[in-house]
Amino acid sequence: MRTRMRTRFTSSVVTLALLSTVGFAQADHHGAPEKLGTVSFGTSCSSAVQPQFNRAVALMHSFQFASAIEAFHTILGSDPSCSMAYWGIALSDWGNPFASGLKSQAQLDAGLKAVEQGRGLPPKTERELAYLEAVAHLYTDSATVDQRSRKVAYESAMAAVSAAYPADTEAAIFYALAVSAAADPADKTYARQLKAGEILDRLYVQYPDHPGLAHYIIHTYDVPPLAARAAGAAQHYSEIAPSTPHALHMPSHTFTRVGDWQASIDANVSSAAAARNAGQPADELHASDYLEYAYLQTAQDNASRRVVESADQIFCASIRRYRLVERAGRWRPTLRGRRYLLDTIWNGGIGPTLQSSSRCKVRSLTPRP
């Protein structure tokens, strides 16, 4: 029964993540060197900014979108002719491709603006133009073309880029990501996941330190019948990009699907702490969601309650800063609702024992530094 109760965060938390993610400096909060994995994305931009470009793409691959956007803008400050930076900004504006729900108008406007700015340079090579025109499909005619159709058009465009440039590893990775992200949850043949996984698995053998490969393998096989296929990536991803809270959390998707509850607890304790230190409340809440579920599966009732109570505090602090009272507030049924239901079951139907705190005392909605 408990497994069937598993629910996901709503797209509002993804919006919170996009707005609240804090960029990583060249060292983490403990002074250790930043470690994001190894990415090599060749461009026609100046050689001086190429390491920065690789770093920005690595951030994207670990879903650190706000940090990636900041990094791409820094690149443009050094090389204003680097049109591929606008591609990176546009794709980062889309956010988590696996998130449910429609993208906000603000995201659509920002992404389209980046595409138009990239077109205005224009790209220096046919390959770079192909990347930019591919991401444009996500934003073009959004008022008249539905989101799924635009995602499929982007997938087709990335298929063409990958076919035209077979030596371009990044093109293959982003194509596989598009295939996986467009999978229909109702398709229990998992045709798209298997198609994407075949590409990702092959490349992962060649590039085991690439953050996107490990990350997207976990996402692609994030269903119980396929989860065992992601075991290697799940064991390794947190070692590839430990500077990102999301990389510390993602292995728990696989651990949850296969029932390795202690591994999930360990991963999410680490991720929540890293997210807290980095000022990323959405990542902390997401880790808390998985952490509470793992505690419930191992009958650690008191630990589960503490996670819910802590999550309420994280939520209240975040809405004071980010003005997301209504949208961010929708995440709470995930933790509190699960807790309410199980309290009722475990107490013989007499109702929950966890005190509810449905409102936060918010004196000001002005963002705080």
Side-chain angles (χ1 to χ4, degrees):
M1 176 184 289
R2 295 183 190 179
T3 300
R4 293 198 299 270
M5 295 176 191
R6 179 72 179 90
T7 56
R8 295 178 180 271
F9 269 43
T10 64
S11 59
S12 60
V13 175
V14 177
T15 302
L16 177 57
L18 184 64
L19 294 177
S20 66
T21 300
V22 177
F24 284 90
Q26 292 301 313
D28 67 20
H29 290 272
H30 300 285
E34 181 183 62
K35 189 175 180 182
L36 301 171
T38 303
V39 170
S40 180
F41 194 120
T43 70
S44 64
C45 305
S46 72
S47 58
V49 302
Q50 188 60 53
Q52 299 175 56
F53 197 95
N54 290 336
R55 175 180 179 271
V57 176
L59 287 166
M60 259 203 316
H61 280 313
S62 286
F63 289 2
Q64 303 296 288
F65 298 115
S67 301
I69 290 171
E70 181 181 355
F72 284 121
H73 278 296
T74 298
I75 290 168
L76 286 166
S78 299
D79 181 6
S81 68
C82 182
S83 60
M84 277 298 283
Y86 288 113
W87 160 82
I89 293 169
L91 192 55
S92 296
D93 281 324
W94 189 255
N96 184 345
F98 294 98
S100 61
L102 299 177
K103 302 301 181 181
S104 70
Q105 191 60 49
Q107 285 176 275
L108 297 175
D109 292 344
L112 184 59
K113 179 181 178 181
V115 169
E116 292 171 343
Q117 288 175 311
R119 286 169 170 170
L121 285 179
K124 299 175 185 177
T125 69
E126 289 298 318
R127 169 179 167 271
E128 293 178 357
L129 178 62
Y131 267 97
L132 185 64
E133 291 305 318
V135 76
H137 285 290
L138 295 174
Y139 301 104
T140 303
D141 298 325
S142 62
T144 57
V145 180
D146 67 272
Q147 181 168 291
R148 176 161 182 80
S149 295
R150 301 196 314 276
K151 287 174 64 175
V152 171
Y154 168 69
E155 176 196 328
S156 297
M158 285 309 303
V161 175
S162 184
Y165 303 96
D168 187 345
T169 301
E170 291 296 320
I173 293 172
F174 281 113
Y175 168 53
L177 174 61
V179 171
S180 181
D184 180 359
D187 178 13
K188 300 309 178 183
T189 69
Y190 304 112
R192 280 181 169 272
Q193 290 93 331
L194 293 172
K195 179 180 179 180
E198 182 179 1
I199 298 170
L200 297 168
D201 288 339
R202 170 174 49 81
L203 291 173
Y204 187 47
V205 173
Q206 297 176 259
Y207 306 100
D209 197 50
H210 192 290
L213 289 169
H215 186 187
Y216 305 148
I217 285 171
I218 296 170
H219 268 297
T220 294
Y221 296 136
D222 196 15
V223 290
L226 303 181
R229 294 170 180 252
Q235 292 293 338
H236 192 39
Y237 184 33
S238 63
E239 299 172 354
I240 295 173
S243 294
T244 65
H246 192 67
L248 300 177
H249 156 75
M250 268 308 301
S252 72
H253 281 237
T254 300
F255 301 149
T256 297
R257 305 297 173 254
V258 301
D260 190 346
W261 304 117
Q262 188 56 52
S264 181
I265 289 169
D266 294 342
N268 285 298
V269 167
S270 178
S271 176
R276 189 178 313 116
N277 289 336
Q280 297 184 13
D283 278 334
E284 188 176 0
L285 290 171
H286 191 42
S288 297
D289 174 30
Y290 274 70
L291 180 59
E292 184 221 19
Y293 188 64
Y295 279 142
L296 289 175
Q297 292 293 335
T298 52
Q300 298 186 60
D301 194 30
N302 290 334
S304 167
R305 294 173 192 276
R306 288 194 296 270
V307 171
V308 176
E309 292 163 357
S310 175
D312 271 344
Q313 296 171 9
I314 300 164
F315 166 73
C316 290
S318 67
I319 64 171
R320 292 188 186 105
R321 182 171 182 181
Y322 298 110
R323 305 190 192 191
L324 296 174
V325 178
E326 294 300 327
R327 287 178 290 162
R330 291 199 298 254
W331 73 267
R332 286 200 284 182
T334 304
L335 278 82
R336 297 196 66 86
R338 183 190 299 135
R339 178 73 261 168
Y340 184 103
L341 177 60
L342 293 181
D343 270 346
T344 301
I345 293 171
W346 294 345
N347 287 309
I350 64 173
T353 59
L354 182 70
Q355 294 297 315
S356 175
S357 56
S358 61
R359 294 183 180 274
C360 295
K361 296 179 180 179
V362 182
R363 296 183 179 180
S364 172
L365 295 181
T366 302
R368 297 181 180 180

